[in-house]
């Protein structure tokens, strides 16, 4: 993930692809550090935003998993 000054947004770069992230998506990925669980990420977002739905965070990350942009470990 990096900030693209041309788009003035964070983007996720992949092989031959660019995913433009909205601010919430960038915040979610910014919290993914290899130590936090998906629940931990959602809890941290609740501190920043009034309304955070755990299922929406999970769905967002699941879409990125299917695109092979992130990995979620079971352990």
């Amino acid at each position: 993930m990096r900030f693209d000054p041309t788009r003035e947004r964070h983007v996720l770069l992949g092989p031959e692809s660019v995913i433009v992230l909205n601010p919430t998506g960038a915040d979610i990925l910014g919290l993914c550090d290899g130590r936090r669980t998906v629940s931990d990420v959602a809890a941290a977002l609740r501190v920043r935003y009034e309304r955070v739905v755990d299922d929406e965070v999970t769905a967002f990350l699941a879409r990125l998993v299917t695109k092979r942009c992130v990995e979620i470990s079971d352990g």
Side-chain angles (χ1 to χ4, degrees):
M1 181 175 74
R2 62 182 268 195
F3 186 78
D4 180 351
T6 303
R7 292 180 174 95
E8 296 183 353
R9 295 252 176 137
H10 280 92
V11 295
L12 191 58
L13 301 175
E16 300 181 23
S17 69
V18 175
I19 298 171
V20 179
L21 300 167
N22 65 24
T24 307
D27 282 349
I28 292 170
L29 287 180
L31 291 166
C32 293
D33 60 4
R35 293 184 302 266
R36 290 182 177 102
T37 65
V38 175
S39 295
D40 292 340
V41 170
L45 289 171
R46 277 193 288 282
V47 173
R48 297 180 190 182
Y49 299 101
E50 286 183 24
R51 186 181 161 276
V52 174
V53 179
D54 289 11
D55 289 344
E56 291 176 7
V57 174
T58 301
F60 173 79
L61 290 171
R63 286 191 301 273
L64 292 179
V65 167
T66 62
K67 293 178 182 184
R68 294 185 173 183
C69 294
V70 297
E71 285 184 20
I72 296 178
S73 172
D74 292 337

